[in-house]
Amino acid sequence: MNEINKTLYIPLYGKAKVSKMGIILNDKTAETIWDENAVSLGRKSKSKWLAYFMAMRARVFDDWVRHMLSENSDAIVIHIGCGLDSRVSRIGPVNTMWYDMDFPEVITERKKFYAETAHYRMLSGNAADPMWLTQIPAGEAAVIVMEGVSMYLAPKELAGLFEMLEERFPSLCLLMDVYTGLGANLTRFKNPIHEVGVTKAYGIDDPAVPLGTSGIRYVREHSMTPSELVAELKGFEGFFFKTLFAGKFAKKLYRLYEYQYGY
């Protein structure tokens, strides 16, 4: 497994840890996978503060997907860079066609824990080469999740992906987290991704940058640390987390952007 793929164990650990605590995110699948297949992670990767953040970010993405499906009942869901995430199980849309995509070696590992069904498929591909999208029938409305992916794509690669998405789907909504330019620069000095060998990250300061020549438009920014979720952390932990991850400085490093096309 290459250096980027190893990063999938960082959010898996965080979600499992927080789920066991009974706060923020209910993810029994993450608990089971981690308990049975734990890998060695560095101290920063196993920080409880990072675990809280990973679980909170996942919950925000989950809630957004639920909301978009409530408004677009015929849409398909595409999770780009799914890793070992169990979002399809956490949300559980019975009749929604759901596609999880990641590197071939990640999908091979994922298939040890998840089974395809008539409404669920796992696709091998690389977000930097959007030809994998041809495995999905064109012409459907799409709800697209990109969690922890954009920072590994060069600007031209990200723009190419957006252009291909527009070409394939008559309407879409997309949510993705990004590093800012400052956030990407600071990863050179202190970031848990270094503990699994990742050394290059990209930042976005203008949310219009990923759009390239596509007609996809930027809609709004979302909070990855909503106050109602932060409130589930009590006492000093709540205060410290809010200061570290939900304050003004955190926003200078990391953002969450929504895009739409055809709506």
Side-chain angles (χ1 to χ4, degrees):
M1 187 170 287
N2 69 31
E3 59 189 24
I4 293 178
N5 295 340
K6 290 178 184 177
T7 65
L8 63 93
Y9 286 95
I10 301 174
L12 178 71
Y13 168 80
K15 293 168 194 173
K17 177 181 177 68
V18 173
S19 181
K20 286 182 178 181
M21 297 173 66
I23 59 173
I24 302 172
L25 187 74
N26 181 14
D27 198 340
K28 299 300 182 185
T29 302
E31 293 182 38
T32 299
I33 295 175
W34 180 261
D35 287 346
E36 297 178 358
N37 302 271
V39 301
S40 177
L41 294 176
R43 179 179 56 84
K44 291 193 292 291
S45 297
K46 299 183 78 171
S47 159
K48 66 179 178 180
W49 309 110
L50 182 62
Y52 293 153
F53 179 75
M54 292 288 187
M56 204 169 291
R57 181 183 71 176
R59 171 70 180 275
V60 170
F61 272 91
D62 285 1
D63 290 347
W64 178 81
V65 173
R66 289 189 185 97
H67 174 72
M68 298 312 299
L69 287 177
S70 73
E71 295 193 341
N72 306 273
S73 58
D74 295 329
I76 64 172
V77 178
I78 306 172
H79 186 172
I80 301 173
C82 60
L84 298 179
D85 185 81
S86 68
R87 178 162 290 118
V88 64
S89 301
R90 294 196 302 269
I91 295 176
V94 176
N95 296 315
T96 298
M97 191 64 208
W98 189 295
Y99 298 91
D100 277 341
M101 189 285 292
D102 214 312
F103 292 112
E105 55 267 44
V106 175
I107 294 300
T108 296
E109 186 73 7
R110 184 177 178 85
K111 286 183 176 180
K112 297 177 182 178
F113 313 110
Y114 300 89
E116 293 187 321
T117 68
H119 289 94
Y120 175 61
R121 287 190 59 200
M122 289 174 274
L123 306 178
S124 296
N126 184 339
D129 179 5
M131 289 306 297
W132 60 269
L133 279 165
T134 59
Q135 300 176 69
I136 300 175
E140 304 282 353
V143 175
I144 303 166
V145 169
M146 288 179 60
E147 182 180 4
V149 173
S150 72
M151 55 285 297
Y152 303 129
L153 300 179
K156 287 185 178 180
E157 294 171 335
L158 196 54
L161 174 58
F162 270 63
E163 290 160 13
M164 185 71 163
L165 288 170
E166 179 195 9
E167 184 179 308
R168 298 289 296 177
F169 305 111
S171 61
L172 64 88
C173 51
L174 182 149
L175 189 65
M176 73 174 186
D177 54 334
V178 306
Y179 285 148
T180 64
L182 175 61
N185 287 335
L186 289 180
T187 63
R188 294 179 297 170
F189 305 104
K190 186 177 181 180
N191 194 296
I193 62 176
H194 292 171
E195 296 181 342
V196 291
V198 178
T199 58
K200 181 63 175 177
Y202 300 91
I204 297 171
D205 289 316
D206 179 354
V209 165
L211 301 179
T213 60
S214 77
I216 298 173
R217 71 185 190 281
Y218 167 68
V219 178
R220 64 178 66 88
E221 181 175 354
H222 292 257
S223 171
M224 283 182 283
T225 54
S227 57
E228 64 272 18
L229 297 183
V230 176
E232 295 193 33
L233 302 175
K234 305 301 181 183
F236 171 77
E237 288 199 345
F239 170 79
F240 188 81
F241 180 88
K242 185 175 181 180
T243 302
L244 187 66
F245 287 103
K248 292 182 179 179
F249 181 67
K251 235 184 154 180
K252 293 180 180 179
L253 307 179
Y254 202 30
R255 312 294 280 266
L256 182 61
Y257 295 145
E258 178 182 347
Y259 299 87
Q260 289 187 7
Y261 172 76
Y263 286 99

